[in-house]
Structure formats: C-alpha cells, structure tokens
C-alpha cells in the first residue's frame, strides 16, 4: 500500500444524506439556481449502485424533493433574521404552515419569474435529458419537475418532511466512532435518533442570507422598517411599483432583479457594487450604476456613496449580497468547518472532511456548472465509501 493511502478500509454500512434544503443553485453565484438536488439524486444513485450499504437514508425538510426549486409565494421574515446579518444561523429553518397546504413550507430564494442562467443541456444528468420542449434556459417549475421525476427511483430512501437538528460523533459499544443524528418529523412532531457510519452533507449554500454591516444600516432599518430586504425574500417586481430602489450587488441575482424592478419602479434603478461595472452593464436602460455604499443616512432617507455622491428619497433597498455556508446541525466546538460562513475549511478537494473521511460534502464550490460537478463528486464519494477507491492519508490530504 502506498504511504499516501490509508492501509485500513472505512467499513461503511449505513449512510445518511442530509439534503435538508438544497444543493443546487438556481442562478449561480450569490443566487440560488442550479446545484441542489444534484447531490441528493446522484449520490443516492451511486451509493445504491455500489450494493454495499445496508441502509441509505436521505433527509429532506420539505415535503417533496427539489430543495429550493420548490417555489413558494411565501417571503416571511424569520424571527431570527437581523439587518445587518453577519453570522450564519445557528438554528434550523422555520417551518411555515398555511391553510392552503397540509405540509410545512419553507421560504425559497426562487422568485416568480426566475429562469436558469445555464442552458439545460449543461444542467442535465448524464443519463436523463430535459424534455425536448424545454426552452434553452428553463423556468424554475421545469427544473423542479425534472428533478422530481429523476428522483422517482429513490423514493424508498427518502425521509421527507424531516428536519435534522443535530449531527454529532458518538462511540458504539464496540468502540467504533460513528455519527449520531437527531431529526424531527415536522408533521407528527416525533423526534428520532439514529446512528450511521457515514454522513453526506448536501444542504447547499443558497439559503442563509448575508447582509453586510454598512455604517448606519441598522439605524436606517429601524427608522424605516420594511425598507431593507434581501434577494431571498424577493418574489415579483410589482411590490416596487413607483418606488426609488437601490439594488446592492451586481452578480447573478443583482442583474436579474434590477432588470425586473426597472420595469415598474421610479427609474432608474440604482445598482451599487464594489467593482467597476463593465460598459455593457452601465448602458442598460433604466439602470444607474454607482459605487459601493459608504453609509446609510436614516434622517435623510438617503445613502452616501464611496464617491461622495448622495442618493436621496430611498423607498427600498434590496441586498443581492449572497449567502453563508451554514451547518446549524453541527456543534461548532466539535467540527471547525466554517470561517464565519464565508468558506468551508478542513475539506479535501472540497469534498472529504480531512479529520474523518466518513463525513463528506457536495456542492461546496461556487461559479461552476453544478450538475455535472455534483455527479462527479457523488461518484467519488460512493466509491471511496464502498472501499473501491483508496482513501488518501491525512498527510496527503493536507498537502
């Protein structure tokens, strides 16, 4: 055996997959559109194909598969939501109950008019194409239906409507270290505790909003409640009709939201970004590109820009500033994974947890084409956990 590889096998028998919310981003970058269920479906298929594991359980807090692609008109602000928002959440998502639905719902970053920004022939899995009738950039409902059809063969593995509250290390009677998982059935309110040999985290990074701490923002939000929001809570442009709007951020969702809002708001939409905009962006009709906001001025209902210019009479501010990496089900004192939610540390090839390769993650990289990447990651994890690929030593993984 090479000194760069472990001598012993992992001997994994029972596997838990934590889909929880998503692994696929609808719009790449800081918006959510194309990389969530990729991990769920492909890893589960690869694990099952190995025919090595006696138990594979996929936990998803929504009542149906698809993660964030399960669009809902709800844009309820959770009690723990703060402005600014500088730390990832330490609590599970709030389940919402409405008279029109018998199952719990969760706020999704998918908005009404969202379409993918990746052509479907790049998004699809290698063994199933999108329907021939699909537009080049499908609407969100088409993607959801595609994922749900693809997951039909996985039904026996799914534990839907189940929210994982805690994952921690434990030691069996035989002295072997395993993973203890505590979960809540959201409908029956029954709690359960199970032990697994390995855990795959596929909860994505498009769910826990980040709002920067700009000088004066907290006071501005207090003096003008309801004025400041995040792209996760955006649904339609109608709510901004006739208003002067500032969009903060100019990546995927910033581009899309500013274009939609410009059709109904008091023009132009003011788009603030740190870096200089390309000329093509500066010339978009109804859009005014400005530098980053240096300070919010609550008394004037205005913002001071880094250029010294002041924008006044602000009716709405939409932060398109991305999301945290968030793992509220892990004890931060046990696993040091996230540095304030901005990145995930301690992973080999952004997948295997170096200190214990029976823990793995899918969908961590950003600015990728998520489905094929997740498919490759899933095959890698499944083969390692089935002892068909050798595990690098800790020294090799740290190199």
């Amino acid at each position: 055996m090479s000194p760069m590889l472990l001598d012993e096998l992992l001997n994994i028998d029972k596997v838990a997959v934590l889909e929880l919310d998503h692994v696929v981003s609808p719009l790449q970058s800081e918006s959510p559109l194309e990389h969530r269920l990729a991990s769920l479906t492909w890893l589960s298929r690869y694990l099952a194909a190995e025919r090595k594991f006696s138990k594979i359980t996929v936990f998803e807090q929504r009542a149906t598969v698809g993660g964030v692609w399960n669009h809902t008109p709800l844009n309820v602000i959770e009690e723990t939501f703060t402005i600014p928002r500088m730390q990832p959440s330490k609590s599970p998502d709030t389940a919402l109950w409405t008279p029109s639905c018998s199952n719990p719902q969760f706020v999704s970053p998918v908005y009404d008019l969202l379409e993918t920004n990746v052509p479907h022939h790049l998004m699809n899995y290698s063994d199933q194409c999108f329907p021939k009738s699909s537009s080049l950039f499908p609407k969100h409902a088409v993607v959801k239906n595609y994922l749900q059809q693809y997951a039909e063969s996985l039904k026996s593995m799914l534990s839907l409507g189940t929210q994982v509250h805690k994952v921690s290390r434990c030691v069996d009677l035989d002295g072997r270290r395993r993973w203890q998982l505590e979960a809540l059935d959201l409908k029956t309110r029954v709690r359960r505790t199970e032990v697994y040999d390995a855990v795959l985290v596929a909860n994505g990074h498009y769910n826990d909003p980040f709002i920067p701490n700009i000088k004066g923002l907290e006071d501005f939000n207090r003096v003008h409640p309801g004025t400041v929001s995040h792209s996760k809570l955006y649904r339609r442009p109608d709510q901004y009709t006739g208003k002067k709007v500032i969009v903060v951020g100019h990546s995927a969702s910033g581009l899309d939201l500013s274009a939609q809002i410009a059709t109904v708001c008091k023009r132009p939409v003011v788009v603030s970004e740190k870096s200089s905009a390309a000329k093509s962006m500066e010339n978009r009709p109804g859009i005014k590109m400005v530098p980053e906001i240096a300070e919010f001025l609550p008394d004037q209902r205005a913002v001071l820009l880094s250029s010294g210019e002041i924008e006044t009479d602000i009716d709405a501010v939409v932060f398109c500033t991305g999301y945290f990496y968030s793992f509220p089900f892990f004890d931060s004192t046990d696993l040091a994974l996230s540095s304030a939610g901005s990145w995930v540390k301690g992973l080999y090839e952004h997948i295997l947890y170096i200190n214990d390769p029976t823990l793995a993650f899918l969908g961590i990289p950003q600015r990728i084409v998520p489905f094929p990447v997740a498919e490759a990651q899933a095959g890698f994890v499944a083969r390692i956990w089935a002892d068909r690929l050798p595990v690098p030593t800790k020294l090799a993984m740290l190199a």
Side-chain angles (χ1 to χ4, degrees), residues 64 69-70 80 91 93 136 145 151 233 307 377:
T64 57
W69 292 100
N70 283 286
T80 58
S91 304
D93 291 345
L136 183 61
N145 291 336
L233 303 174
S307 62
Q377 290 178 324

Side-chain angles (χ1 to χ4, degrees), residues 21-272:
D21 190 40
H22 49 293
V23 154
V24 157
S25 146
L27 288 170
Q28 292 180 59
S29 178
E30 88 311 322
S31 120
L33 255 116
E34 204 243 26
H35 144 165
R36 228 162 261 235
L37 193 61
S39 328
L40 167 66
T41 52
W42 262 106
L43 181 80
S44 303
R45 285 206 172 194
Y46 270 113
L47 290 172
E50 293 294 339
R51 298 188 178 182
K52 163 133 185 344
F53 312 105
S54 68
K55 182 177 183 179
I56 302 169
T57 308
V58 180
F59 294 90
E60 160 63 58
Q61 65 181 4
R62 287 176 166 84
T64 57
V65 298
V68 288
W69 292 100
N70 283 286
H71 168 266
T72 169
L74 299 174
N75 60 352
V76 178
I77 298 177
E78 297 184 351
E79 293 182 2
T80 58
F81 192 85
T82 60
I83 299 175
R85 187 176 173 85
M86 297 294 292
Q87 294 290 331
S89 175
K90 295 182 179 179
S91 304
D93 291 345
T94 300
L96 304 172
W97 299 86
T98 63
S100 60
C101 184
S102 60
N103 294 309
Q105 298 184 68
F106 295 86
V107 176
S108 165
V110 169
Y111 41 90
D112 292 8
L113 304 178
L114 184 145
E115 298 175 349
T116 73
N117 63 348
V118 177
H120 67 75
H121 60 268
L122 295 180
M123 288 179 61
N124 63 247
Y125 302 122
S126 61
D127 62 344
Q128 182 170 316
C129 295
F130 273 77
K132 291 183 178 180
S133 60
S134 302
S135 60
L136 183 61
F137 299 96
K139 297 181 183 299
H140 61 80
V142 174
V143 180
K144 184 192 75 170
N145 291 336
Y146 171 83
L147 294 173
Q148 291 182 341
Q149 289 173 13
Y150 193 84
E152 278 294 315
S153 63
L154 306 175
K155 282 187 174 180
S156 62
M157 306 178 194
L158 303 179
S159 181
L160 300 173
T162 307
Q163 192 170 60
V164 176
H165 285 184
K166 186 176 181 180
V167 178
S168 57
R169 289 186 174 111
C170 65
V171 179
D172 248 351
L173 295 176
D174 59 5
R176 181 180 172 186
R177 299 185 75 181
R178 301 180 192 273
W179 296 96
Q180 180 170 288
L181 185 148
E182 299 175 19
L184 172 69
D185 185 308
L186 294 172
K187 209 164 185 179
T188 65
R189 310 307 296 175
V190 173
R191 295 183 179 274
R192 74 197 218 218
T193 300
E194 298 180 354
V195 174
Y196 292 87
D197 300 304
V199 172
L200 184 285
V201 180
N203 72 326
H205 44 84
Y206 298 94
N207 182 60
D208 199 345
F210 163 70
I211 298 179
N213 186 14
I214 301 173
K215 183 178 180 181
L217 173 59
E218 186 174 0
D219 289 338
F220 189 94
N221 182 62
R222 176 178 51 80
V223 175
H224 307 290
T227 300
V228 181
S229 184
H230 187 275
S231 58
K232 180 182 179 180
L233 303 174
Y234 174 83
R235 287 296 170 266
R236 297 187 62 84
D238 310 44
Q239 66 195 91
Y240 299 105
T241 300
K243 296 181 178 181
K244 181 173 181 178
V245 181
I246 291 185
V247 174
V248 182
H250 200 233
S251 193
S253 62
L255 278 166
D256 204 18
L257 267 61
S258 60
Q260 292 186 21
I261 293 171
T263 63
V264 298
C265 73
K266 181 179 180 181
R267 301 180 79 176
V269 174
V270 179
V271 179
S272 168

